[in-house]
Amino acid sequence: MSASQTSDVPTLLVKIFGKDRPGITAGLFDTLAAYSLDVVDIEQVVTRGRIVLCALVTEPPRGLEGDLRATVHSWAESLKLQAEIISGIGDNRPRGLGRSLVTVLGHPLTAEATAAIAARITESGSNIDRIFRLAKYPVTAVEFAVSGVETEPLRTALATEAAALGVDIAVVSAGLHRRAQRLVVMDVDSTLIQDEVIELFAAHAGCEDQVAEVTAAAMRGELDFEQSLHARVALLAGLDASVVEKVRAEVRLTPGARTLIRTLKRLGYQVGVVSGGFTQVTDALREQLGLDFAQANTLEIADGRLTGRVTGEIVDRAGKARLLRRFAAEAGVPLSQTVAIGDGANDLDMLNAAGLGVAFNAKPVVREAAHTAVNVPFLDTVLYLLGITREEVEAADTLDEGLGEGLGLPPSRL
């Protein structure tokens, strides 16, 4: 019987709840099968060993409803379960137009925060259709399926709530496109890796404090990136080129970086990096992590020493957005299907150009402008924003056991 055929047909909602054990679902439908019913809808949730099983079925032949009710209650009592049967007409009411998925990350996720988020969703005119836990550690990640309001106004309504409650909230459109092949492009310094590469070079040149000060101002958006890049690189003039290998050895991946990339690749995503840092490091990252794309600035080396200049096209704020578009075109992925991750002001154009821009442990100006923010130190929590569960991540890790760190483990070194 089709959905249209059940729109005005008498139906029964059969609810079973109690202590979970194997065979409850089969047992309920074995009991119902004796009454020649059609199944309209089923939903089952198990939480801490307690089951809630709901079956929406067509009404039995005339005169048998009383017998059905008595039989279901008797069966439930035999298993020390509770049963409730509610008469009604037709299927569930249609979901409202405008469907979104709201992912909430908490560390921890408090009842107060959950109440405020649910209230704001309701106040926006939306309805919560379903709630599902994606992960329980090292963060709690919960996904709300919401309908009734378009994604953008819902995202705006929840952004302020997220900042006030100290949780991370991502709002994306629901639909098949969420599981379609995608492109993920990341910043490198303080995103894919924990370090600022130019500061690692500066430490070998004895000018770390000077460079760090200029870097911080640039990331806050107080200085033009290209000017600050040239000023910082000039301080490296004269360094022996052997310092490149030393810096590569010092680079520390962000916890969860390998897990993020490995899981995405297994799901058919393409992954790239764009960096205001240097190809001397990003080329090594591309090779070791199996990245599809990588672009950065290049330190000029002459006669075995750094000249204090960069060569080629400068990768700055506008350049990162331009490269995102270029990578998407080469990958055959619509821009709406791209995800960009970054932390600094020079990532903003890229974050805004992507279908989903994620500010990762970012500066305030970036958090305020991005689609969503992640403020926990685990890069693979971004997977939850894509609807990928912790169990799916662990399944991928099992296949690649020993190849790198997972959530919450110490970062690997290059």
Side-chain angles (χ1 to χ4, degrees):
M1 186 177 292
S2 69
S4 60
Q5 291 174 311
T6 61
S7 61
D8 57 358
V9 170
T11 52
L12 298 177
L13 175 60
V14 182
K15 298 170 62 179
I16 304 295
F17 39 98
K19 186 177 180 181
D20 188 32
R21 70 194 70 186
I24 290 177
T25 305
L28 173 62
F29 284 96
D30 276 344
T31 302
L32 295 174
Y35 297 91
S36 302
L37 308 174
D38 292 334
V39 177
V40 179
D41 196 3
I42 310 172
E43 188 153 353
Q44 177 175 309
V45 176
V46 177
T47 304
R48 212 179 71 176
R50 309 293 292 184
I51 186 172
V52 177
L53 170 60
C54 295
L56 186 64
V57 297
T58 55
E59 192 178 63
R62 185 179 299 276
L64 293 181
E65 183 177 333
D67 185 65
L68 178 149
R69 288 175 177 269
T71 302
V72 170
H73 280 287
S74 176
W75 167 81
E77 288 172 6
S78 72
L79 297 177
K80 297 182 179 179
L81 299 169
Q82 293 178 280
E84 181 180 2
I85 302 175
I86 303 170
S87 298
I89 298 295
D91 198 350
N92 304 305
R93 67 178 183 181
R95 293 181 180 179
L97 297 177
R99 299 182 187 178
S100 302
L101 297 169
V102 178
T103 306
V104 181
L105 306 180
H107 190 54
L109 178 60
T110 65
E112 177 187 11
T114 305
I117 292 163
R120 183 55 62 91
I121 290 172
T122 301
E123 290 166 6
S124 73
S126 301
N127 185 68
I128 299 172
D129 300 319
R130 184 172 182 265
I131 304 174
F132 176 73
R133 188 180 70 184
L134 296 168
K136 62 183 179 180
Y137 69 94
V139 300
T140 301
V142 178
E143 182 178 272
F144 294 74
V146 175
S147 62
V149 170
E150 295 298 329
T151 298
E152 284 303 324
L154 182 61
R155 179 183 288 160
T156 301
L158 291 174
T160 303
E161 205 70 51
L165 296 170
V167 297
D168 300 327
I169 300 179
V171 183
V172 299
S173 297
L176 290 175
H177 64 274
R178 198 183 192 203
R179 287 289 188 177
Q181 186 182 37
R182 284 188 174 187
L183 169 69
V184 176
V185 176
M186 288 175 275
D187 173 45
V188 175
D189 293 10
S190 298
T191 300
L192 179 63
I193 67 174
Q194 299 180 63
D195 312 280
E196 292 288 333
V197 169
I198 196 165
E199 293 178 12
L200 297 179
F201 277 102
H204 292 279
C207 58
E208 187 175 11
D209 290 344
Q210 295 166 267
V211 166
E213 184 177 342
V214 178
T215 298
M219 291 299 98
R220 291 192 300 267
E222 297 170 3
L223 292 177
D224 173 80
F225 179 81
E226 184 171 350
Q227 291 178 336
S228 70
L229 175 67
H230 289 303
R232 288 175 291 173
V233 171
L235 296 171
L236 307 181
L239 272 178
D240 191 279
S242 63
V243 76
V244 170
E245 291 301 323
K246 296 176 183 177
V247 167
R248 286 177 179 170
E250 292 167 351
V251 167
R252 301 165 300 165
L253 289 175
T254 297
R258 286 188 186 275
T259 301
L260 171 68
I261 294 168
R262 180 169 61 247
T263 305
L264 290 172
K265 296 289 287 181
R266 283 192 170 276
L267 291 172
Y269 287 57
Q270 296 189 60
V271 184
V273 295
V274 291
S275 177
F278 310 110
T279 56
Q280 282 82 358
V281 170
T282 58
D283 286 351
L285 288 169
R286 178 174 186 168
E287 180 180 352
Q288 294 179 36
L289 297 175
L291 301 172
D292 299 286
F293 305 98
Q295 189 71 43
N297 299 303
T298 299
L299 291 169
E300 184 180 65
I301 297 175
D303 300 323
R305 293 190 178 276
L306 274 63
T307 66
R309 296 186 294 271
V310 292
T311 62
E313 179 184 0
I314 298 297
V315 178
D316 56 7
R317 175 169 169 166
K320 288 187 174 185
R322 185 169 58 252
L323 288 165
L324 171 70
R325 293 186 176 92
R326 183 192 303 172
F327 294 167
E330 292 178 11
V333 175
L335 201 59
S336 61
Q337 292 297 108
T338 62
V339 180
I341 311 168
D343 74 300
N346 68 328
D347 297 314
L348 274 174
D349 289 2
M350 175 178 72
L351 297 182
N352 289 328
L356 177 64
V358 181
F360 181 73
N361 292 310
K363 284 68 178 175
V365 66
V366 182
R367 290 199 304 268
E368 292 169 7
H371 297 142
T372 190
V374 171
N375 295 299
V376 293
F378 312 112
L379 190 57
D380 44 356
T381 55
V382 172
L383 292 168
Y384 306 145
L385 306 183
L386 305 178
I388 299 166
T389 68
R390 174 67 188 175
E391 288 77 12
E392 290 169 324
V393 173
E394 289 177 343
D397 283 347
T398 300
L399 294 172
D400 290 297
E401 190 173 352
L403 291 182
E405 91 283 1
L407 278 166
L409 297 180
S412 299
R413 301 177 75 92
L414 291 179

